[in-house]
């Protein structure tokens, strides 16, 4: 059975089988990046456009490397160099790029739902969400799951303790959705100012005291304090105080079980959410996450570029949009 | 309804012949099995070669990402990592597969082997050649020959049976 996807908006849209399929395929791509010649012809003749309205070096680079290692042609567009800075609307930018016939558009935007919005108007382009506001970031969570699978002996029945700026974290949200589908447990640790009250609906445990959450954790997943989104500066008194209460230091790590590993989606703020020696310790899986990120993005691009879904699987809305576009003579 | 066209004795004898033919070209041997069936066959051939005192290095290839039918059949739901623990550059390597049919798998495997380095020579050893080639590819060693028509699927059955009970079955899939 083929598991072809048309778009990847979020972990919420995927079934357990689809998630496991992408993780398994990602696992087999890890080896490709360790070869002397890091290139396979899988996506030869495909075009991937990275459209980033928000800055992101690692996600963009990771998508770019993933596409290039599979022989796709990859083009990067950032908001500062795109026509949006000249006043073009999001929809016009999307339609203009789609008219150049790429197979995949990888989009990062500060607003949740950007990808779904564009997908309704671009029936012939697959869209990957590379982070939309505080909503979802599916390739990051898939990356984390691959790291859990290979470096922490699987995710089934494990307890993943996510610490820090939950309020602004799309990764935390994606983990809450994935945990329910894949059968692992989530503990959230944050000051009340960084923890939205709605998270309890996902059936996770909530802690305000980091030390109480450590025993029994299989993974300590540290989140970056997103100072660029903390505009009013009143979430916590000072960086130093935050580090005291919610930073992972050697003393805290010593309270964790022997097999407990440390993860972080990056970029890290050493000395804020994670102490430098912990980030560099043998428990850290942070660089494995980066390596797995490339492999997962290869898997996602391959799944999206695989056999196209049957026309009847298009949503009625998309069919309408497609018909409208055809009527306007926009398509060949 | 599947017919057994070669039973365990015929498969065992074919594996013996394949090992003998490979051994006749030297005692220092590099075998690369093509996932999944070819990897099983390579295991069986390797055991025979090692019993005969040959030095064998082994790799496995999953050619899913080198196929030419991503657009028509989509990505393979069951992929395994390729594994090449030795340097292929400058040596003769044997590709091993279970059933040779159109030649497309071998074409993809050749592409992948050359992404690991530049072998001196690549030779092809298959358990069964069923004819029907669509590409200019031929086996150097074929354990068994069987002309099957295009409406049939021919496969080596290794699942749920021990190596001693491997057999090859043919099944009509379309008229």
């Amino acid at each position: 059975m083929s598991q072809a996807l048309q778009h990847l908006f979020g972990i919420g849209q995927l079934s357990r089988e689809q998630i496991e399929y992408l993780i398994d395929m990602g696992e087999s791509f890890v080896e490709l990046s360790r070869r002397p010649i890091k290139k396979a012809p899988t996506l030869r003749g495909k075009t991937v456009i990275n459209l980033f309205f928000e800055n992101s070096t690692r996600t963009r680079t990771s998508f770019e490397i993933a596409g290039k290692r599979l022989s796709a042609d990859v083009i990067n567009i950032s908001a500062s160099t795109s026509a949006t800075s000249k006043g073009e609307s999001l929809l016009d930018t999307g339609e203009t790029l789609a008219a150049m016939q790429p197979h995949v558009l990888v989009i990062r935007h500060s607003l949740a739902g950007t990808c779904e919005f564009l997908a309704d108007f671009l029936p012939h382009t697959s869209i990957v969400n590379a982070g939309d506001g505080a909503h979802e970031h599916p390739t990051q969570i898939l990356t984390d799951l691959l790291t859990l699978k290979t470096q922490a002996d699987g995710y089934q029945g494990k307890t993943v303790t996510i610490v820090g700026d939950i309020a602004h974290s799309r990764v935390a949200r994606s983990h809450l959705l994935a945990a329910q589908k894949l059968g692992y447990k989530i503990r959230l640790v944050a000051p009340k100012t960084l923890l939205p009250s709605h998270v309890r609906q996902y059936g996770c445990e909530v802690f305000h005291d980091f030390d109480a959450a450590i025993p029994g954790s299989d993974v300590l997943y540290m989140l970056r304090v997103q100072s660029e989104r903390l505009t009013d500066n009143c979430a916590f008194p000072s960086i130093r105080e935050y580090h005291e209460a919610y930073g992972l230091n050697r003393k805290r790590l010593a309270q964790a079980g022997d097999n407990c590993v440390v993860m972080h989606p990056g970029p890290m703020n050493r000395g804020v959410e994670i102490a430098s020696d912990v980030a560099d310790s043998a428990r850290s899986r942070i660089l494995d996450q980066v390596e797995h990120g490339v492999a997962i993005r290869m898997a996602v691009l391959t799944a999206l570029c695989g056999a196209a879904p049957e026309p009847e699987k298009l949503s009625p809305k998309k069919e309408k949009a497609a018909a409208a576009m055809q009527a306007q003579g926009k398509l060949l | 309804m599947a017919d057994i066209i070669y039973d365990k004795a015929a498969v065992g004898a074919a594996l013996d012949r394949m090992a003998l033919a490979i051994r006749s070209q030297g005692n220092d041997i590099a075998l690369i099995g093509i996932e999944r069936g070819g990897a099983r066959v390579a295991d069986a051939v390797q055991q025979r070669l090692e019993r005969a005192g040959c030095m064998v290095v082994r790799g496995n290839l999953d050619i899913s990402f080198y196929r030419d039918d991503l657009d028509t059949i989509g990505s393979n739901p069951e992929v395994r990592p390729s594994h090449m623990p030795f340097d292929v550059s400058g040596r003769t390597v044997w590709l091993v597969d279970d059933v040779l049919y159109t030649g497309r798998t071998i074409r993809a495997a050749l592409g992948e082997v050359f992404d690991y380095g530049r072998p001196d020579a690549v030779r092809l050893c298959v358990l069964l050649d069923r004819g029907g080639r669509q590409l200019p590819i031929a086996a150097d060693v074929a354990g068994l020959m069987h002309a099957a028509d295009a409406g049939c699927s021919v496969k080596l059955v290794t699942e749920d049976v021990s190596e001693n009970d491997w057999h090859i079955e043919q099944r009509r899939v379309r008229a």
Side-chain angles (χ1 to χ4, degrees), chain A residues 21-72:
Chain A
Y21 165 66
L22 289 170
I23 295 169
D24 289 349
M25 194 184 351
E27 191 176 0
S28 59
F29 273 130
V30 172
E31 183 268 345
L32 177 66
S33 294
R34 294 178 181 166
R35 294 185 195 174
I37 299 173
K38 303 170 202 306
K39 196 98 172 170
T42 320
L43 300 180
R44 197 165 57 93
K46 309 285 183 192
T47 307
V48 176
I49 296 182
N50 286 329
L51 180 56
F52 277 61
F53 292 97
E54 272 192 326
N55 286 332
S56 156
T57 310
R58 82 181 51 214
T59 304
R60 186 186 54 68
T61 309
S62 183
F63 267 108
E64 183 175 358
I65 289 181
K68 287 183 170 169
R69 289 204 175 143
L70 295 180
S71 308

Side-chain angles (χ1 to χ4, degrees), chain A residues 91-127:
Chain A
L91 182 55
D92 283 332
T93 302
E95 287 188 327
T96 302
L97 294 174
M100 299 181 197
Q101 312 290 345
H103 294 84
V104 182
L105 266 181
V106 178
I107 299 175
R108 167 164 294 190
H109 199 282
S110 57
L111 293 177
T114 301
C115 296
E116 285 95 326
F117 166 76
L118 276 177
D120 281 340
F121 293 94
L122 311 178
H124 298 282
T125 308
S126 290
I127 293 183

Side-chain angles (χ1 to χ4, degrees), chain A residues 120-151:
Chain A
D120 281 340
F121 293 94
L122 311 178
H124 298 282
T125 308
S126 290
I127 293 183
V128 184
N129 180 2
D132 55 341
H135 180 220
E136 278 229 49
H137 187 3
T139 56
Q140 177 68 50
I141 169 86
L142 289 167
T143 297
D144 294 345
L145 292 170
L146 176 55
T147 304
L148 284 174
K149 184 182 175 195
T150 56
Q151 306 288 313

Side-chain angles (χ1 to χ4, degrees), chain A residues 132-324:
Chain A
D132 55 341
H135 180 220
E136 278 229 49
H137 187 3
T139 56
Q140 177 68 50
I141 169 86
L142 289 167
T143 297
D144 294 345
L145 292 170
L146 176 55
T147 304
L148 284 174
K149 184 182 175 195
T150 56
Q151 306 288 313
D153 189 27
Y155 35 77
Q156 197 93 42
K158 293 285 158 60
T159 299
V160 176
T161 300
I162 302 177
V163 188
D165 188 355
I166 311 286
H168 297 98
S169 173
R170 40 198 169 209
V171 173
R173 174 190 296 268
S174 295
H175 267 289
L176 290 167
L177 295 169
Q180 290 180 322
K181 295 185 186 194
L182 297 173
Y184 62 98
K185 291 193 236 31
I186 298 281
R187 290 179 180 171
L188 297 178
V189 183
K192 286 185 177 165
T193 47
L194 291 174
L195 191 74
S197 55
H198 68 76
V199 294
R200 289 174 199 270
Q201 67 179 301
Y202 296 103
C204 56
E205 288 181 85
V206 172
F207 294 79
H208 299 299
D209 175 4
F210 189 7
D211 294 293
I214 293 176
S217 294
D218 297 296
V219 178
L220 295 174
Y221 195 105
M222 308 309 295
L223 297 174
R224 182 173 68 90
V225 174
Q226 305 196 25
S227 19
E228 74 277 16
R229 296 189 211 267
L230 291 168
T231 42
D232 44 10
N233 278 328
C234 61
F236 46 85
S238 71
I239 292 284
R240 187 174 160 164
E241 206 160 317
Y242 181 86
H243 184 66
E244 285 298 312
Y246 294 101
L248 182 57
N249 52 32
R250 210 186 315 180
K251 210 170 116 214
R252 285 206 167 99
L253 187 57
Q255 298 169 39
D258 289 342
N259 295 322
C260 179
V261 297
V262 177
M263 292 170 60
H264 190 301
M268 282 185 280
N269 289 325
R270 288 174 186 255
V272 184
E273 69 271 5
I274 188 163
S276 206
D277 53 352
V278 171
D280 299 329
S281 73
R283 302 278 195 98
S284 165
R285 296 292 175 272
I286 297 169
L287 294 177
D288 296 294
Q289 286 175 277
V290 177
E291 180 181 21
H292 292 156
V294 173
I296 279 294
R297 288 171 182 115
M298 288 182 183
V300 166
L301 293 176
T302 302
L304 291 176
C305 288
E310 303 296 317
E312 63 262 31
K313 286 192 192 148
L314 289 175
S315 70
K317 209 169 160 190
K318 271 177 215 135
E319 270 178 7
K320 230 170 99 189

